[in-house]
Every structure is written in C-alpha cells, then in structure tokens.
Amino acid sequence: MSVSHRPTPLAGALALVLSAVSTAILAPTLDQRVAIVIALIGVGLVATGGRDFDLPVPQGRLWTALGAVLVLGAILRGETLADPLQSIELVPGLVGMALVGLGVRPLRQRFARRFVSAGLAAMVVGVALVGIFEAAGPLRLLGATAAAIAAWDVAEHGISLGEQLRTDAETRAVELLHTGTTSAYGAVTVVVALVIYENGATGLPLSALALLLAAAITLMALLYR
Amino acid sequence: MTVRTTGRWRGIVAVALFFVAVGVLTDRPAALLVGVVGAGLAVYPRLSRPPTVDLELDRRLGDKRPASGEPVTVTTRVTNTGDRTLADCRVVDGVPAMLSVASGSPRHAAVLGPGETTEFSYDVETEAGRHQFDPATVIARDITGAHEVETTVAAGTEIQCADAVPELPVREQPDGHAGRLVTDDGGSGIEFHSVREYRPGDPIGRIDSKRWARTGELTTVEFREERPTSVLLLVDARAPAYRAAADGRPNAVAHCLAGVEQLVSALSDTRDAVGLAAFGRELCFRPPGVGTDHEAALWQLLATHPAFDATPPGRVRAGDGGWDDERSDDLDRQATLLRKQLGSDTQVVVLSPLADERIVETVRTLSAAGHTTTVISPDVTAEESLGQRLARQERTMRLRALRGADIPVVDWDPETPLGTVLLDEGRRRWSA
C-alpha cells in the first residue's frame, strides 16, 4: 500500500469547481463559458493523474497529457478571442484554475500551497483587470473574488487534511462542511457589501471612502501581527 | 494540549489591500468595494475561537489474542463529551509501532456535535508479542481553520500475540543466590559437585551420613550451586537510535521495545530478577526485582514512560516537551547515573541498533565496571544507497569492536523472531 499525502480528492474537486465559478462570473459569453468547461475538464484530468480511486476514473499518462492539452487549448482560445476585453476577462481565470489544479494534484508536494496561492493571485489579478478596464458592476467583481478566495480556502483545507490524514482516510463530512461554511460566509459578505453600496455609500466621494477603507484595513493589518 | 494559530487567512489581508489600492489608483468604486469583501473574509478567522476538546475514545479489537500474522480488525469510536460542536476533528489512532496497517486507515476526520460519536475501523497485521496502543492524536480545528488544538486521547488497549521468546540465555556470573544458573561453585543444588570436610554451621541434610556411619568422619556434600540472576534490560532510545530500514517501517527503538516486552514476559516466568532502564529523552531506571507487583510496574513503565516512546523525538506530538537534540554530555550523564544505581551483580542486556560510537563506549564502560553485559542489536541498516551501505559497514565494525572487548552481541535481523535468534545464539555460544 503506497502512502499518499496528497490533498484530499473531494476538496480538490470542490476547489476546482469554485475557481471555475469565479472565472465564469467574470466571463459571461458562451464562447468563454465553453473554454472554461474545457479547461475544467482538462485540469480535472491533470489533477486525477496517478491517484488511487475506487471508481473507474480516467487516468494514466495519456489522460494527463490530454488534460494538459485541453487546458493549454482553452487558454489559447481565450487569448485569440475577437474582443481583447473578453480575453482579459477569461485568461487570468483560466491560468488561476490551472495553478489551483497543479496545487491539488499536486505537482510537487512541497509547493502545493504555493501553487494554490499563485492560482488565487492569478484570479485576483483577473478581477482587478476587469474592474479597471471594463468599469464592471460590483456584483461580478465581488462574486468572482469571493468564489476565488473560497476556492483557495477549500484547496488549502484539502492540502492540510491530506498532510495530516492522508487520502485514504474518511474526511468527506469535514470537507463538505468547511466548503459550505466558507462559501456561505463569502456570499453573506458579498450581499452585505452590495447592500451598503446600494444604500448610501454611493453619495460619498470616492477619496473619502477610500481613506476610510484604507484606515480600516491598516488597523486590521496591524491587529493581525 | 497545544493550541496553535494556523495563520492561513493572513494572505487575504493582502488581497483586500490590493483591491483598495487598485480602486483608489484607478478611480473605480467597484474595485474598492471588492476590498470590503476582502476585508470581510480577512476578519472571518477572528469570528471563531479555538475549539474546546473533550473527547472519549473506545477501541475494540476483533480478536484480543490473535495468532501471529493474522489480521485483526480494530474499531475505534470517538465521542464528543463536550458541549460544543467540533467542526473539524481529525483523529490519528496510535497504532502500536510494531504493527502495520493491512487495510483501511487509522486516520479519520469527522464533524462531531455534542454527544455525537464517530467510528472507524481498520485491520492491522499482528506480530508475535504484546503490543500496546499509543494514545490517539487528535487535531481539532475551528470552522475557519484559523485555530488548531492538538491533544491526545488515551484508551489502554493491547493486542497480545503468542510470545516467541522461550527464555533469555543468561551468562555465567561470579556470585549470587539460588536460581536457574548452574555454576561451578559448590553449595546447595541438585547436581553433585564435591565432598568436603564438615564445617560447623553446615545444614544437617547435606552431611554425608553413609560416610559418617562408615568412618565416623563428618563430611559435607556440595552440589553445584544454582543461582538466579538479576537482569537489567537496557534500551537505547536516544535520538540516533530511531533509525528505520525504510520509510514506513518500524524504527529500531520500536524493535527494541518489542524485544524488551518479549523478554520481560519470558523472564517473569523464571525466578530471575528483572529490571528496566532506558537512555533517551530522560533516564528511566527500575531496579531488578521479582513478583507480580514488580512485573505490573514494569508493564506500566513500558506503556507510559516517555523514554519508552516509539515515536522519534522532535516530531510534533502533544505533551512532548521541547526535547530537540540530544546534548553531547547527555548519554554520559545518564550512563553515570545508571552505574551509580545499578547493583554490582546485575547483568545488563543492552538493546541497541548500535547507531553511533557513543553507545559502544557506554557499553564497554558498563562492562569494564564489572557488569556482565550482553548486547542485542536489531539490524535496521539497508543496502540501497552509498550512505546506507556505509552505515551498515560502520555497524559491523561496532559489532566487531564489542565482540573484541568480550561482550557478546546478538545481531538480530528483525524479520526473524527474537526467540529463534536467541535459541540459535544460545546453541552456538552460551554455555549457561
């Protein structure tokens, strides 16, 4: 029996789905969604490579290679979309998905967390770019960010479970509860932020709001140390 | 119990700050608003507190006294006796170091509401001997994963498998009392030794009455005296001794402990006095003695004393005080302390993988101090890499050095039961 300290499969799958959701919120057109689904399938194939499953799951080098081709194809498709704005919406998210996938596979046990963090960073950059270039509405940006952070959290949780308990342990209930709670909290945060935004804060000059927020976050960062 | 902050949410503060900066610099209110969500998620771990862990553990064995090599199903039930829900409770059962898990996993994670119980089971391959379960390690995280409580829950469970050591061959020794060691000295016993002139105080039963009747001369019959020995089993459990042949295989200390357990069982069937000692995290010493109370105390010591821990030091383990690296004078200090407490007529059986030079010196010092010393050395060296071959060669040299100093060494390949090895050695070398 081989010893496997890989991230737990359920948390890995949920993290991939959440990162796909984050990307899909930013990229609304059909072409983009198709690319996301293809990338998700590809990342899924890459992430399952070399694992032991009870169910018949396609794996082996050929499948992993096919997955990698699918991911690269999806990213290439995203690059060559007619509208460059659509590429900006799509590509960072796809790269983020790929990085999260490499983190939960993982490519290297030691760097699993770094890959997942890099995936979060890519998705966050995507959200920021959309915010800058499209002046997009708040709902898309907030939803995508919350989903990206939830994906990162779930993936990290799966990595820690894999490290401490290995993949053959029964951990599903804990993973589902953790994912559910984080997602629910993220959704609540988004709703609260939107409610604040709609009712009142819009009248405030941006600079004042920014100062207030910056002060609050600085205070928080100081408290964290 | 250790409470840790995992700090896993710390990076989210950076995300929040990033969006605020983007929002301000590019004049986009929506991006600024994302900073609010980032801040909200950064505050998330502050909303929960470290969980309070009150757990009870119950372990059931499919078969309490299995035959050697037979898999045994272990069912572990963990109950939350506290009044708070444990959202992320991870349990790693303390499988005895010598037993390997055949199927299933001794690790489990569950969501435990107050009073709820979770159950998991796995099969272990049994080996000859008596194996005690270590306390299970429990890691409980709060729902956000920001705090982590690590603790252990104990339930005394043991698997007992037919013991394989018939008897410990003891070496000849200069003096002592009646027991199983047949000596060349005259005294009371069974086997005829000599006849000598009567001295006042000799027991009446030993007067040679026939000769007295014949010649009127008082003589005393001497028999070969039989003496019990007093044996101290000394385990080398210092950090260098926690070597294993490969990852996932039992380490040398685990083998030594299994050996000690077998020897204690075997010796307690004889009239020999048995004592227990260990070098390691701290010096453990229990002087040799006899009787059921003493035996119970030995088992207690084997189960609970920190020196008899089959887990290598330095690994994270609850209740394991900061014992990092062995100080260089630690072994000398422990050996000196041991020699001071040790009776001079006590034989010492050292169980050590002979992983470094210093234990060799210590054994030779013990032997030079007049203790009849024997070494049983489990061989955990391997042959795959150059370093492993070098380590094996070094160990062979150490064996040779000890044998050169007239200290018998039993080279024990842990694949073979200790009893077989000792019987072979006894046939070959021991005269007792």
Side-chain angles (χ1 to χ4, degrees):
Chain A
M1 193 178 66
S2 67
V3 175
S4 170
H5 285 289
R6 294 171 152 217
T8 48
L10 179 64
L14 289 171
L16 285 180
V17 169
L18 280 169
S19 60
V21 166
S22 165
T23 315
I25 291 174
L26 282 184
T29 67
L30 186 64
D31 271 0
Q32 291 168 321
R33 294 277 164 91
V34 168
I36 291 171
V37 170
I38 289 174
L40 185 60
I41 293 170
V43 174
L45 283 175
V46 171
T48 50
R51 279 174 185 265
D52 293 329
F53 282 103
D54 293 338
L55 306 166
V57 174
Q59 48 173 311
R61 291 212 175 157
L62 215 63
W63 287 104
T64 309
L66 177 69
V69 168
L70 284 180
V71 175
L72 289 176
I75 292 176
L76 216 65
R77 175 82 190 100
E79 282 284 357
T80 52
L81 282 170
D83 184 356
L85 269 183
Q86 288 191 1
S87 296
I88 288 175
E89 286 170 354
L90 186 59
V91 173
L94 293 183
V95 172
M97 283 168 68
L99 286 170
V100 170
L102 290 180
V104 297
R105 178 188 154 96
L107 196 63
R108 281 271 177 281
Q109 196 82 54
R110 283 174 54 204
F111 301 129
R113 284 195 170 80
R114 295 213 185 141
F115 273 118
V116 171
S117 301
L120 172 64
M123 287 187 279
V124 161
V125 166
V127 174
L129 288 178
V130 171
I132 294 166
F133 290 110
E134 289 189 24
L139 180 59
R140 275 169 73 197
L141 301 186
L142 296 188
T145 311
I149 293 177
W152 165 84
D153 172 55
V154 171
E156 206 278 339
H157 187 240
I159 292 170
S160 88
L161 275 175
E163 273 175 355
Q164 290 177 344
L165 304 181
R166 307 183 193 176
T167 41
D168 54 350
E170 168 58 55
T171 52
R172 261 175 243 149
V174 169
E175 289 165 84
L176 286 176
L177 181 70
H178 188 92
T179 312
T181 319
T182 308
S183 311
Y185 183 80
V188 168
T189 329
V190 170
V191 169
V192 169
L194 281 177
V195 167
I196 295 172
Y197 186 69
E198 297 296 335
N199 306 325
T202 37
L204 224 68
L206 184 62
S207 53
L209 191 69
L211 276 176
L212 206 65
L213 244 179
I217 290 177
T218 317
L219 190 67
M220 206 169 61
L222 281 174
L223 283 175
Y224 256 90
R225 284 199 305 163
Chain B
M1 186 185 285
T2 351
V3 182
R4 284 191 294 265
T5 327
T6 54
R8 60 197 291 270
W9 285 94
R10 208 166 284 163
I12 301 306
V13 178
V15 173
L17 288 171
F18 171 73
F19 277 112
V20 170
V22 167
V24 171
L25 292 177
T26 60
D27 200 17
R28 293 275 187 268
L32 196 60
L33 200 61
V34 178
V36 177
V37 171
L41 282 162
V43 174
Y44 181 40
R46 292 268 149 163
L47 300 181
S48 65
R49 283 184 304 162
T52 42
V53 184
D54 287 311
L55 292 173
E56 255 172 34
L57 187 114
D58 176 39
R59 225 181 261 123
R60 301 236 166 97
L61 299 178
D63 186 356
K64 276 215 164 180
R65 302 179 77 93
S68 179
E70 221 173 72
V72 176
T73 309
V74 182
T75 309
T76 307
R77 294 162 62 89
V78 181
T79 311
N80 181 5
T81 50
D83 47 5
R84 308 275 299 263
T85 299
L86 297 174
D88 186 345
C89 179
R90 305 164 184 193
V91 185
V92 181
D93 207 358
V95 180
M98 286 299 293
L99 303 186
S100 56
V101 176
S103 63
S105 171
R107 297 164 294 271
H108 185 71
V111 181
L112 281 180
E116 274 181 12
T117 302
T118 181
E119 184 181 289
F120 58 103
S121 56
Y122 52 95
D123 289 354
V124 291
E125 298 267 15
T126 49
E127 299 243 345
R130 178 170 165 165
H131 308 281
Q132 275 172 328
F133 278 80
D134 292 330
T137 306
V138 174
I139 299 171
R141 283 189 171 193
D142 60 356
I143 186 70
T144 64
H147 309 279
E148 195 172 82
V149 177
E150 181 174 333
T151 183
T152 53
V153 192
T157 320
E158 64 174 42
I159 294 184
Q160 198 154 7
C161 219
D163 279 327
V165 172
E167 61 177 300
L168 173 70
V170 286
R171 288 176 67 197
E172 276 182 44
Q173 200 171 315
D175 51 278
H177 309 280
R180 72 181 163 116
L181 189 66
V182 182
T183 63
D184 285 338
D185 299 334
S188 52
I190 298 166
E191 195 182 333
F192 178 77
H193 179 258
S194 59
V195 181
R196 63 164 169 78
E197 205 171 287
Y198 174 79
R199 278 183 229 135
D202 278 349
I204 285 185
R206 297 239 309 269
I207 293 174
D208 189 350
S209 48
K210 286 183 186 160
R211 181 183 282 235
W212 183 52
R214 205 164 55 233
T215 61
E217 203 180 315
L218 273 174
T219 47
T220 304
V221 181
E222 295 260 80
F223 298 94
R224 285 183 70 165
E225 205 163 24
E226 292 172 11
R227 294 172 190 152
T229 41
S230 142
V231 179
L232 179 79
L233 302 168
L234 171 61
V235 179
D236 171 20
R238 298 164 306 124
Y242 288 91
R243 296 275 160 80
D247 267 355
R249 303 282 306 279
N251 60 43
V253 175
H255 285 304
C256 288
L257 290 177
V260 163
E261 289 181 359
Q262 293 179 20
L263 291 175
V264 169
S265 313
L267 282 169
S268 50
D269 293 341
T270 68
R271 288 180 52 207
D272 299 325
V274 196
L276 209 53
F279 295 140
R281 288 172 171 85
E282 53 188 273
L283 177 69
C284 163
F285 179 68
R286 173 92 192 180
V290 285
T292 39
D293 284 357
H294 179 74
E295 197 191 330
L298 291 186
W299 285 116
Q300 177 76 19
L301 213 55
L302 274 172
T304 55
H305 198 279
F308 293 112
D309 194 338
T311 323
R315 226 195 262 181
V316 187
R317 182 92 181 254
D320 209 23
W323 191 79
D324 299 327
D325 269 319
E326 192 189 5
R327 290 191 310 279
S328 59
D329 60 343
D330 219 34
L331 177 63
D332 295 339
R333 195 176 51 77
Q334 293 188 353
T336 315
L337 255 173
L338 178 71
R339 275 209 312 281
K340 274 185 192 154
Q341 298 176 40
L342 196 59
S344 61
D345 57 343
T346 305
Q347 295 203 12
V348 184
V349 176
V350 184
L351 288 101
S352 165
L354 300 176
D356 63 352
E357 287 302 327
R358 305 198 21 250
I359 189 71
V360 176
E361 274 167 39
T362 311
V363 171
R364 290 176 68 160
T365 319
L366 266 176
S367 169
H371 300 288
T372 317
T373 310
T374 310
V375 177
I376 297 176
S377 175
D379 183 5
V380 290
T381 56
E383 225 161 22
E384 266 132 54
S385 69
L386 189 64
Q388 286 172 338
R389 282 199 291 275
L390 183 66
R392 169 169 284 192
Q393 195 56 41
E394 279 183 346
R395 181 171 169 278
T396 316
M397 301 296 282
R398 285 182 205 120
L399 291 188
R400 210 170 285 163
L402 281 175
R403 283 173 180 155
D406 256 351
I407 300 164
V409 184
V410 182
D411 190 1
W412 170 30
D413 175 11
E415 298 289 308
T416 335
L418 182 59
T420 318
V421 177
L422 288 179
L423 278 180
D424 285 354
E425 289 282 337
R427 232 171 271 139
R428 226 181 323 156
R429 196 172 358 212
W430 272 291
S431 53

